[in-house]
Amino acid sequence: MELHDVWFVLIAVLWTGYFFLEGFDFGVGVLTKLLARNRPEKRVLINTIGPVWDGNEVWLLSAAGATFAAFPEWYATLFSGFYLPLLLILVCLILRGVAFEYRVKRPEENWQRNWEMVIFWASLLPAFLWGMAFGNIVRGVKIDQDFNYAGGVLDLLNPYALLGGLVTLALFTFHGTVFVGLKTVGEIRERARKLALRVGLATTLLVLAFLLWTQADRGDGSSLVAMVAALASLLVALVAARAGREGWAFALSGLTIVATVAMLFLTLFPNVMPSTLNPDWSLTVTNASSSPYTLKIMTWCAGIATPVVLLYQGWTYWVFRKRIGTQHITETAH
């Protein structure tokens, strides 16, 4: 296996880790409007991700940085062609982080309600836009012979990509719902379990339609295995959620995300961005990669830094592993 193939796999792993971890972050943000009934319950939801949300975003920085260094042509075409949706995602992530920090700085009802609205929308929009972006990457976009994006914003709003956006939004919301069930106690935990069943059923239908479309359009044997794994994991996650086994439900909903992202990258390889104008103008792991020397240096750096990051993040989750409920929220922290 060539180094550019290795880095394609590593970038796929980074995006998978990001969607697994930030997925439940986004889901919890959406649930602040769907699940919480009062201010203490909203605070409980926010506190479930409070210690980890910023660490989860490190995976996005790593994925984007690795793409820039390992596949500069891919990075250039992707970030220029998808400029507006990616800018909107960036703005949402900035506002979301500010909202987490500023919400409790003042006790006024309107102040806190406004920041809670920011958390909701700044979680919902990226959850949708990431699916739309990856739907377009897999489907292919208008790339000319100079590897430049030749389409417009409206070209990104095609049925396949829009369905992909709905899939990630629903899947992340389900992932967040079972995470809330895993991390909370009391009435909010029971409501999260019931909501997980309803959200999970809708998610199953959307994931089934999207993955079947993907398989029929450009799938092969390996992507079929990933598709079966994704659907089986999602169905078993629903069973586990119904039985109150939140740990299993969360692990299996995460496995659904892993298998879904794996399927997308399997159908993409060896391309990194297919061209709908001419297959010969597609960006591939070969014509979009950096030099072998650059990839070699990156491999050494990644081999040293990655275990440290994983150990630190794992330790963070271990420290903040306990459940919380409204009884842990003080009156002044609402």
Side-chain angles (χ1 to χ4, degrees), residues 6-23 55-71 74 130 134 257-258 261-262 265 298 302 305-307 309-310 313:
V6 172
W7 273 97
F8 179 86
V9 174
L10 291 176
I11 289 172
V13 170
L14 290 172
W15 281 112
T16 302
Y18 174 66
F19 288 143
F20 181 99
L21 296 172
E22 191 84 312
N56 294 342
E57 292 186 355
V58 171
W59 290 78
L60 172 60
L61 299 176
S62 300
T67 304
F68 172 77
F71 299 100
W74 184 13
W130 279 127
F134 271 84
I257 294 175
V258 171
V261 178
F265 276 94
M298 289 176 60
T306 302
V309 174
L310 292 176
Q313 195 162 27

Side-chain angles (χ1 to χ4, degrees), residues 81-86 132-133 135-137 139-142 149 151-162 273:
F82 292 27
Y83 180 81
L84 286 179
L86 292 179
M132 190 184 78
N136 277 296
I137 292 174
R139 171 183 174 271
V141 292
K142 295 179 179 178
Y149 180 69
V153 176
L154 294 180
D155 292 317
L156 303 179
L157 303 178
N158 55 81
Y160 178 78
L162 293 175
M273 282 190 77

Side-chain angles (χ1 to χ4, degrees), residues 23-223:
F24 70 77
D25 266 1
F26 290 144
V28 172
V30 172
L31 292 175
T32 57
K33 289 294 182 184
L34 301 182
L35 185 62
R37 292 180 177 176
N38 51 48
R39 183 131 290 108
E41 289 189 351
K42 290 181 180 180
R43 188 65 218 177
V44 168
L45 292 181
I46 294 172
N47 282 3
T48 62
I49 60 174
V52 298
W53 69 266
D54 47 355
N56 294 342
E57 292 186 355
V58 171
W59 290 78
L60 172 60
L61 299 176
S62 300
T67 304
F68 172 77
F71 299 100
E73 288 284 356
W74 184 13
Y75 181 92
T77 304
L78 175 64
F79 279 77
S80 60
F82 292 27
Y83 180 81
L84 286 179
L86 292 179
L87 177 62
L88 183 56
I89 290 174
L90 178 61
V91 170
C92 285
L93 294 180
I94 293 172
L95 290 176
R96 188 167 174 265
V98 172
F100 284 138
E101 299 295 333
Y102 273 60
R103 176 188 172 273
V104 295
K105 296 299 183 182
R106 292 170 56 180
E108 291 87 348
E109 181 80 12
N110 288 339
W111 173 271
Q112 296 193 2
R113 185 186 300 113
N114 289 338
W115 284 118
E116 288 162 3
M117 187 64 70
V118 172
I119 292 173
F120 172 75
W121 286 108
S123 300
L124 186 149
L125 289 175
F128 174 81
L129 290 172
W130 279 127
M132 190 184 78
F134 271 84
N136 277 296
I137 292 174
V138 172
R139 171 183 174 271
V141 292
K142 295 179 179 178
I143 299 176
D144 62 22
Q145 58 186 349
D146 296 320
F147 301 139
N148 295 320
Y149 180 69
V153 176
L154 294 180
D155 292 317
L156 303 179
L157 303 178
N158 55 81
Y160 178 78
L162 293 175
L163 177 59
L166 292 176
V167 166
T168 51
L169 175 57
L171 194 53
F172 292 170
T173 303
F174 175 66
H175 196 39
T177 306
V178 295
F179 177 77
V180 170
L182 178 64
K183 286 289 293 180
T184 59
V185 295
E187 184 181 350
I188 194 170
R189 176 189 177 190
E190 294 302 317
R191 291 206 309 273
R193 189 175 72 174
K194 294 177 181 178
L195 181 61
L197 297 178
R198 297 196 295 270
V199 174
L201 290 174
T203 301
T204 301
L205 295 177
L206 289 170
V207 170
L208 177 63
F210 181 70
L211 295 188
L212 285 176
W213 191 343
T214 304
Q215 180 66 24
D217 187 43
R218 56 177 65 246
D220 56 15
S222 58
S223 63

Side-chain angles (χ1 to χ4, degrees), residues 1-8 71 292-293 295-296 299:
M1 179 182 288
E2 301 289 337
L3 277 179
H4 51 67
D5 297 330
V6 172
W7 273 97
F8 179 86
F71 299 100
Y293 182 74
L295 296 178
K296 183 177 180 180
T299 303

Side-chain angles (χ1 to χ4, degrees), residues 310-325:
L310 292 176
L311 286 172
Y312 174 78
Q313 195 162 27
W315 176 79
T316 302
Y317 276 91
W318 174 256
V319 170
F320 296 100
R321 66 189 182 277
K322 293 183 179 180
R323 295 177 182 266
I324 61 173

